[in-house]
């Protein structure tokens, strides 16, 4: 029981949270102003983003310093593990809302619109089939195929999951070259994935006439893949930071939860993609 | 229980900033708890002022005080402010103060993030309340924000959406903090099944929060994109469905109402044994009941949607599942009564409020059960019957339990006993006026008065007048609490000992009153 | 009444009604409205049953609690026992509630199934919710083809306190729904803008009207009479001002009503092909405007910006007629502007448009004819 008796690290008062709050206040109000075409909107918005970035740098910088100076004992380490796990769970639930919307549209709303009284009285002639932009679509569009870029991206993400694990093994057995190389490869694969996805979006808008406002198909397609892309970006940034720290000589085989957290996150992003690939692109 | 750990063991604490900066930068769970409590009380007053304006308009038929669109804004904001601004943060405030004290931890697991969880709330409140002053005013789509009405709203809706996002971030961080603190920071020997029930109910509540706040964030994000970026989630013309919003919202919304009641159950489960001077009856079954309520809460959401016209199978499933929740809740009520049975009861203010809670909450539970019967709900859905139901469980449930807890722990927080006379007066005024306000709403709803209307048919005049009178009385009664709290905070009144209630059990009573700034820096050891 | 008098009055009322509770007259104020259909009476009985069961449990539980509160008091010398578990009791109070719930669920299930059985109606009527009125379409059965709009008829002055209120204050409409007694009427609900809910308490029918979807409910009224209800889903500003009024009449009276309606609609169809003078259009348009447009755009044409734009001086009203016709016919998706094409006849739309183009400071001098509307519909 000795380890639980070690003193739990409680940080000193910090100015960072209030910066974070001011940042989000500006972010939110700036976004609203921007949406309603109030002149200062974008300025407030981007200032908010800037403050947020400042806050993240300062805050995480401090955490890294605290970690590297050995302030975090085993118990703190366990706290980080629990919290990262539940944080990822909350992200899962966020995606669940959008997957739920897709499921609902495909299983309930679209078939309902194309049958019975709904079809007869309100939407005559609407044949329910997926993909669809609904009974009153603006323009025709071509849905995104599964076996081109998306399949390639699946491969990319899966191999990036492998490289990050390979990097972890490197770290565990003290092979720092392997560790850094694995991380670098993972980041590069992530960047390639994002590059492909940007290309795919451009292709959708330019050639397929598939847009965010292409009815429920466009809505679910872009919101799901878009939020996934955002999470890939976040994950890639996290891994880049880990790479920087690895180069700076941080992490030991025993003490490297920050890296593991980033890896967990990366695997989560990976799993979400697999689901996406199956229900958004493929089926 | 182990001995008190004196504060002077660690005298090397960093020089904390003074004045306002102390509160802005603090990482101390007690400071943060206090801020949560003060914030939520201010929000309670703001939401209360809105409620009083609503009641003033509804005092008699016709439009006298406010115009219909402003009335709808008031109703919406009253709901949002009370739910997200008053009740939820108040319980988080209790968690912050009590959980480390109860499990023998030195602080919350992530003290800095804890500060941010709190300090996200004032910006969110500014966005929410500020929306009254933008062109078009605040959102008037009801706190349930149903699409497509919410898609129609003006700028106030977008402010509310971002406010909800920020409050969601705050809740998720707060919940993760609580989960980790409870799972990882218990004093040696404090096994899960020895934990005070308040910690258990909060642990389960925190899981509910982590699971459903992101879903709410998703729902309002879809509204945002439907409003501004042409998506068709809730638009049939594009293949979406307005009812889909309701499914997503209530998947959040129903667990949300248990988020607002489970910690209340926890508080009451601490207080009843203390004043019955007898251990809590059925501790284990209390834990299981709480967990069952939480699990069931994920499969009952569509009982808010019986009138949307679900298929028979759907209606029956959600009706049966909802009815089942009466069983674990009943177990709790029976356990409390059994705890009181053959105890040595005394009725200081905390116990008065807790007993009042059981009595009035159960009435709200029964009307909930009546709402759960789908055919009856078809009649009472969106009427004042529902308004009556949820104020019985929210005001007489959550709020009364909060007051019970406040009276119980104020000695620990301030070192001063809350005035017994004022406490009793506060209770008796509250429970009488509460019933004058909300009991007649059952009749109004049954007889057919819809909710969210600024004006009504003549046959509803008398009960509305009565409810309005009661509301003002209830509101004024809450000012008594300000007096109680201010007296304690300023040190007026009888000093409290470390354990001012002779029947109270638990680690929090082993530290002096008021609790020193730092407690349990070395964990106490339980046998 | 003065404030003090009202407060005194309501306190007295509280005391009195409790003293007289149970009398039949007082009952309808405390309880569900007297049922007028089979389903509504089942609901009524279900509620009574639930109330009794809950009351019994309540008295049981709190009887025990208050016994403890009064007898097991420390101040009366009570000494605390120390029991804190009893598996038998705990199992009992888990199992017994389950049984009670089963007893409640059984009759409820039967009623749910009956409520949902909308098959084989005698008459089918589509009720469309608009902000803030109901449109009715008789789709099938006697009266097929009849369609009209039903608006609140309580005068503004009564709402604002300028005039004494009628008995049916806020529950009266210009064109009530008329149905025959004893026939199965199926109501299809839908909406044009946001969700509304079609509710008549005495029928035990409340069905949300969801834009873009059709939902259904049914009733068979047992007795002739006037039945009133409200929109029961928050639908924006005038949610409190869109009542439902149903006249249940004898078979013969219903037939007569149908004949009268059909004659009226033949006359209005003739109007749609006529040429009008500018003055005729403006005069007719003023009325159409008052019932359909003034709630949002206001009688003075100033609207309530930003939600409801002004028409006085509006670029749409001042611009090409075709543009305004398109807006009125199809509405503005995402705003409160409804598609009036479904609601009003060509002549009414033409009149309303002509009115707005020739009132306040707008003075185009141009008469928009019904033919122009018909043409716009066609294209
Ligand atoms: C703290 C908040 C809280 C709590 C605890 C509850 C508890 C319950 N609620 Fe409530 N509810 C709300 C807050 C809450 N509710 C809110 C805010 C709304 C409206 C939202 C809106 O539309 O704006 C609402 C609406 C609402 C509806 C929808 C009404 C409508 O809009 O038409 C329904 C329908 O089923 C319902 C049911 C229930 C049930 C069955 C319980 C059960 O948990 C109650 C269980 C308790 C008991 C039953 C009493 C104790 C039990 C015994 C003594 C055992 C013996 C009993 C028997 C065997 C009968 N609630
Ligand atoms: C969560 C908790 C909560 C709480 C505590 C309350 C508290 C109260 N509510 Fe609340 N209410 C809701 C949650 C809550 N409500 C929700 C979710 C809705 C649904 C919204 C919707 O339909 O979308 C609702 C809707 C609602 C309605 C229906 C409105 C409508 O349908 O149009 C009414 C009407 O009477 C009402 C009344 C009251 C009253 C009188 C109180 C009283 O208990 C309030 C008492 C407190 C005070 C009055 C404050 C005391 C302060 C003073 C006396 C003055 C102090 C002075 C200064 C600060 C300067 N509420
Ligand atoms: Cu229409 Cu409420
Ligand atoms: Cu619920």
């Amino acid at each position: 029981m000795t380890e639980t008796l070690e003193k739990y690290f409680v940080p000193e008062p910090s100015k960072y949270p209030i910066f974070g709050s001011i940042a989000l206040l500006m972010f939110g109000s700036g976004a609203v102003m921007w949406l309603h075409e109030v002149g200062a909107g974008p300025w407030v918005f981007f200032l908010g983003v800037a403050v947020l970035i400042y806050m993240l740098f300062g805050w995480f910088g401090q955490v890294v310093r605290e970690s590297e100076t050995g302030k975090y004992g085993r118990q703190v380490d366990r706290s980080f593990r629990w919290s990262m796990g539940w944080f990822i769970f909350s992200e899962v639930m966020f995606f669940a809302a959008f997957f739920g919307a897709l499921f609902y549209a495909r299983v309930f709303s679209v078939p309902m619109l194309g049958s019975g009284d709904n079809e007869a009285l309100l939407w005559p002639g609407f044949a329910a089939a997926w993909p669809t932009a609904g009974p009153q679509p603006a323009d025709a569009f071509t849905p995104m195929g599964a076996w081109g870029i998306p399949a390639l991206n699946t491969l990319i993400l899966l191999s990036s999951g492998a490289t990050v694990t390979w990097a972890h093994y490197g770290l565990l057995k003290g092979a720092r070259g392997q560790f850094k190389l694995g991380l670098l490869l993972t980041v590069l694969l992530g960047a390639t994935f994002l590059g492909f996805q940007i290309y795919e979006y451009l292709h959708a808008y330019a050639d397929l006439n598939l847009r965010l406002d292409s009815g429920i198909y466009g809505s679910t397609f872009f919101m799901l893949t878009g939020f996934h892309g955002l999470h890939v970006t976040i994950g890639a940034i996290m891994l880049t930071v880990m790479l920087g720290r690895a180069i700076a000589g941080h992490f030991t085989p025993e003490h490297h939860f920050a890296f593991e957290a980033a890896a967990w996150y990366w695997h989560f992003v990976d799993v979400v993609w697999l689901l996406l690939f199956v229900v958004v692109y493929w089926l | 229980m182990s001995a008190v750990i004196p504060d002077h063991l660690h005298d090397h604490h960093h020089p904390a900033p003074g004045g306002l900066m102390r509160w802005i930068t603090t990482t101390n769970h007690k400071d943060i708890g206090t801020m949560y409590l003060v914030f939520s009380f201010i929000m309670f007053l703001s939401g209360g002022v809105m409620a009083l304006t609503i009641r003033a308009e509804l005092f008699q038929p016709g439009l006298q005080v406010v115009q219909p669109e402003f009335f709808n804004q008031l109703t919406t904001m009253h709901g949002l402010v009370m739910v997200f601004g008053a009740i939820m943060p108040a319980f988080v405030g209790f968690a912050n103060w009590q959980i480390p004290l109860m499990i023998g931890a030195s602080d919350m697991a992530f003290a800095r993030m804890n500060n941010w969880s709190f300090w996200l709330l004032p910006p969110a409140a500014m966005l929410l309340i500020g929306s009254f002053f933008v062109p078009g005013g605040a959102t008037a789509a009801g706190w349930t924000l149903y699409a497509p009405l919410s898609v129609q709203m003006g700028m106030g809706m977008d402010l509310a959406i971002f406010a909800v996002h920020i409050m969601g971030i705050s809740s998720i961080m707060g919940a993760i903090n609580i989960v980790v603190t409870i799972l990882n920071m218990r004093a040696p020997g404090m096994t899960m099944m020895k934990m005070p029930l308040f910690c258990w109910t909060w642990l389960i509540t925190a899981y509910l929060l982590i699971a459903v706040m992101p879903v709410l964030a998703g729902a309002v994000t879809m509204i945002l994109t439907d409003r501004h970026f042409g998506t068709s989630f809730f638009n049939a013309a594009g293949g979406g469905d307005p009812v889909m919003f309701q499914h997503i919202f209530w998947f959040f919304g129903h667990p949300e109402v248990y988020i607002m009641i489970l910690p209340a159950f926890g508080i009451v489960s601490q207080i009843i044994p203390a004043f019955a001077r007898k251990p809590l009856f059925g501790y284990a079954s209390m834990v299981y009941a709480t967990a069952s309520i939480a699990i069931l809460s994920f499969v009952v959401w569509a009982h808010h949607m019986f009138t949307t016209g679900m298929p028979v199978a759907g209606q029956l499933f959600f009706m049966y599942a909802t009815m089942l929740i009466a069983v674990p809740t009943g177990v709790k009520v029976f356990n409390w009564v059994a705890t009181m049975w053959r105890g040595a009861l005394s009725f200081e203010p905390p116990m008065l409020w807790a007993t009042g809670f059981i009595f009035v909450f159960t009435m709200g539970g029964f009307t909930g059960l009546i709402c759960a019967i789908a055919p009856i709900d078809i009649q009472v859905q969106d009427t004042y019957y529902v308004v009556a139901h949820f104020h019985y469980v929210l005001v007489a449930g959550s709020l009364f339990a909060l007051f019970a807890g406040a009276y119980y722990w104020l000695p620990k927080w301030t070192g001063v006993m809350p005035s017994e006379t004022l406490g009793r007066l506060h209770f008796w005024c509250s429970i009488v006026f509460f019933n004058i306000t909300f009991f007649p709403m059952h009749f109004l709803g049954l007889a057919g008065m819809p909710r969210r209307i600024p004006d009504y048919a003549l046959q509803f005049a008398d009960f509305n007048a009565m409810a309005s009178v009661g509301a003002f009385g209830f509101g004024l009664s809450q000012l008594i609490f300000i007096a109680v709290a201010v007296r304690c905070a300023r040190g007026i009144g009888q000093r409290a000992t470390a354990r001012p209630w002779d029947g109270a059990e638990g680690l929090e009573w082993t530290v002096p009153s008021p609790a020193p700034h730092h407690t349990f820096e070395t964990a106490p050891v339980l046998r | 009444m003065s404030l003090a008098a009202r407060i005194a009055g309501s306190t007295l009322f509280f005391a009195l009604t409790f003293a007289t509770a149970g009398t039949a007259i007082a009952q309808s104020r405390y309880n569900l409205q007297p049922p007028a259909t089979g389903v509504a009476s089942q609901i009524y009985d279900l509620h009574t049953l639930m109330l009794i069961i809950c009351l019994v449990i309540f008295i049981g539980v709190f009887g025990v609690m208050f016994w403890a509160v009064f007898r097991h008091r420390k101040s009366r010398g009570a000494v605390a026992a120390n029991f804190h578990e009893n598996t038998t009791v705990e199992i009992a109070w888990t199992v017994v509630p389950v049984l009670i719930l089963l007893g409640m669920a059984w009759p409820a299930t039967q009623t749910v199934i009956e409520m949902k059985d909308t098959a084989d109606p005698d008459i089918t009527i589509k009720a469309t919710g608009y902000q803030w009125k109901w449109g009715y379409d008789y789709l099938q059965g006697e009266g097929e083809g009849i369609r009209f709009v039903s608006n609140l008829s309580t005068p503004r002055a009564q709402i604002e306190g300028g005039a004494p209120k009628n008995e049916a204050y806020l529950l009266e409409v210009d064109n009530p729904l008329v149905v025959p007694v004893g026939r199965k009427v199926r109501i299809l609900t839908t909406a044009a803008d946001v969700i509304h809910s079609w509710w008549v308490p005495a029928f035990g029918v409340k069905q949300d009207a969801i834009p873009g979807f059709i939902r259904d409910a049914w009733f068979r009224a047992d007795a002739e009479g006037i039945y009133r209800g409200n929109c029961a889903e928050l639908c924006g500003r005038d949610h409190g001002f869109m009542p439902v009024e149903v006249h249940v009449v004898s078979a013969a009276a219903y037939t007569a009503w149908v004949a009268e309606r059909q004659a009226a609609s033949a006359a209005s169809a003739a109007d749609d092909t006529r040429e009008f003078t500018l003055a005729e259009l403006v005069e007719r348009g003023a009325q159409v405007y008052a019932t359909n447009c003034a709630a949002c755009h206001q009688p003075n044409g100033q609207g309530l910006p930003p939600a409801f734009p002004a028409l006085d001086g509006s670029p749409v009203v001042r611009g090409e007629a075709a543009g305004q016709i398109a807006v009125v016919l199809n509405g503005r998706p995402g705003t409160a502007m409804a598609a009036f094409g479904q609601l009003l006849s060509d002549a009414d739309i033409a009149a309303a448009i002509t009115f707005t183009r020739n009132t306040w400071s707008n003075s185009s001098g141009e008469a928009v004819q019904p033919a122009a509307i018909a043409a716009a519909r066609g294209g």
Side-chain angles (χ1 to χ4, degrees), chain A residues 104 108-110 112-113 117-118 121-123, chain C residues 126 139 186 188 190 210 212-216:
Chain A
Y104 186 91
F108 297 108
S109 69
V110 171
M112 250 183 324
L113 285 167
D117 292 323
N118 294 308
L121 294 168
L122 297 176
W123 309 108
Chain C
K126 183 169 84 158
L139 292 183
R186 177 170 175 236
L188 304 182
T190 184
I210 296 153
F213 288 85
I214 298 268
R215 295 292 155 86
D216 65 353

Side-chain angles (χ1 to χ4, degrees), chain A residues 227-242:
Chain A
F227 271 118
H228 177 262
L230 181 71
H231 283 76
V232 174
T233 312
I234 297 171
I237 292 174
M238 282 162 57
L239 288 170
T240 312
V241 173
M242 295 312 140

Side-chain angles (χ1 to χ4, degrees), chain C residues 95-143:
Chain C
V95 173
V96 172
V98 173
L99 298 178
I100 299 175
L101 291 173
L102 284 175
M104 296 169 170
W106 176 245
T109 304
Q110 287 173 315
T111 309
V112 168
I113 291 168
E114 186 166 345
M115 291 174 96
K116 281 286 178 182
D117 177 19
T118 52
D120 305 319
D122 298 312
I123 295 180
T124 304
I125 303 171
K126 183 169 84 158
T128 310
Y130 298 90
Q131 282 170 319
W132 291 273
K133 52 189 160 270
W134 289 100
Y136 296 111
D137 260 295
Y138 287 63
L139 292 183
Q140 168 262 318
E142 189 182 359

Side-chain angles (χ1 to χ4, degrees), chain C:
Chain C
M1 237 194 281
S2 77
L3 184 75
R6 261 208 165 263
I7 294 176
S10 54
T11 321
L12 190 68
F13 177 82
F14 187 53
L16 273 182
T17 42
F18 271 77
T20 57
T23 67
I25 318 136
Q27 224 191 14
S28 66
R29 305 178 94 139
Y30 296 111
N31 208 334
L32 293 165
Q33 292 182 13
T37 65
V39 165
S41 28
Q42 287 184 31
I43 294 177
Y44 192 98
D45 296 342
L46 258 178
H47 176 250
T48 311
L49 173 75
M50 290 289 298
L51 203 59
I52 292 171
I53 298 178
C54 290
L55 261 174
V56 169
I57 301 175
F58 194 82
I59 292 169
V61 173
F62 288 98
V64 174
M65 190 181 92
F66 279 107
W67 181 273
V69 165
F70 290 115
R71 288 304 176 86
H72 304 153
R73 249 183 219 253
K74 188 165 177 244
S75 56
R76 302 184 80 203
V79 180
N82 198 27
F83 61 89
H84 55 86
E85 244 167 14
N86 184 326
T87 317
T88 327
V89 178
E90 291 178 53
I91 289 176
W93 69 39
T94 312
V95 173
V96 172
V98 173
L99 298 178
I100 299 175
L101 291 173
L102 284 175
M104 296 169 170
W106 176 245
T109 304
Q110 287 173 315
T111 309
V112 168
I113 291 168
E114 186 166 345
M115 291 174 96
K116 281 286 178 182
D117 177 19
T118 52
D120 305 319
D122 298 312
I123 295 180
T124 304
I125 303 171
K126 183 169 84 158
T128 310
Y130 298 90
Q131 282 170 319
W132 291 273
K133 52 189 160 270
W134 289 100
Y136 296 111
D137 260 295
Y138 287 63
L139 292 183
Q140 168 262 318
E142 189 182 359
E144 189 175 324
I146 294 178
R147 48 191 316 200
F148 56 88
V149 176
S150 176
N151 268 296
L152 174 75
S153 65
T154 301
R156 205 75 210 162
Q158 290 192 13
I159 296 170
E160 263 136 32
K165 302 182 182 5
N166 323 334
E167 206 186 328
Y169 176 71
L170 293 188
L171 295 176
E172 51 197 353
V173 299
D174 52 1
N175 297 310
L177 186 70
V178 179
V179 296
V181 70
R183 297 295 187 77
K184 182 166 185 175
V185 179
R186 177 170 175 236
I187 295 281
L188 304 182
T189 63
T190 184
D193 30 49
V194 300
I195 304 176
H196 303 263
S197 189
W198 195 86
W199 179 32
V200 180
F203 296 168
V205 170
K206 182 187 286 151
Q207 179 54 58
D208 287 1
I210 296 153
F213 288 85
I214 298 268
R215 295 292 155 86
D216 65 353
W218 70 278
F219 64 87
R220 181 187 276 120
D222 297 333
E224 292 173 36
I226 298 179
Y227 300 96
R228 301 174 193 277
N230 300 77
C231 172
E233 182 63 64
L234 179 62
C235 54
R237 196 188 45 162
D238 281 351
H239 160 61
F241 304 90
M242 56 179 291
V244 175
E245 182 177 337
V246 185
H247 290 196
V248 175
V249 298
S250 67
Y254 182 69
T255 311
W257 177 81
V258 167
E260 185 197 313
R261 266 285 158 186
Q262 275 162 351
S265 65
S268 104
D271 273 356
D272 285 352
T273 51
R274 234 183 82 192
E275 272 292 288
F276 288 84
T277 67
L278 179 64
E280 279 174 330
L281 283 169
V282 169
E283 193 196 324
R284 180 175 183 150
Q287 271 182 13
V288 179
Y289 183 86
T291 29
N292 294 289
C293 322
C296 300
H297 296 295
Q298 302 297 297
N300 61 7
Q302 295 304 324
L304 294 168
F308 310 113
L311 297 185
D312 190 0
S314 136
V316 176
V317 179
R318 294 258 171 113
E320 284 285 302
Q324 193 184 358
I325 294 175
V327 172
V328 176
L329 277 181
N330 306 321
R332 277 252 167 90
T335 71
M337 181 65 196
F340 283 90
Q342 302 291 313
L343 270 171
L344 301 176
S345 69
D346 292 355
D348 281 342
I349 293 180
I353 289 180
T354 309
F355 169 76
T356 58
R357 297 172 84 80
N358 293 286
T359 324
W360 314 305
S361 66
N362 304 339
S363 53
S364 67
E366 166 195 10
V368 177
Q369 293 296 342
I373 312 296
R377 280 187 201 269

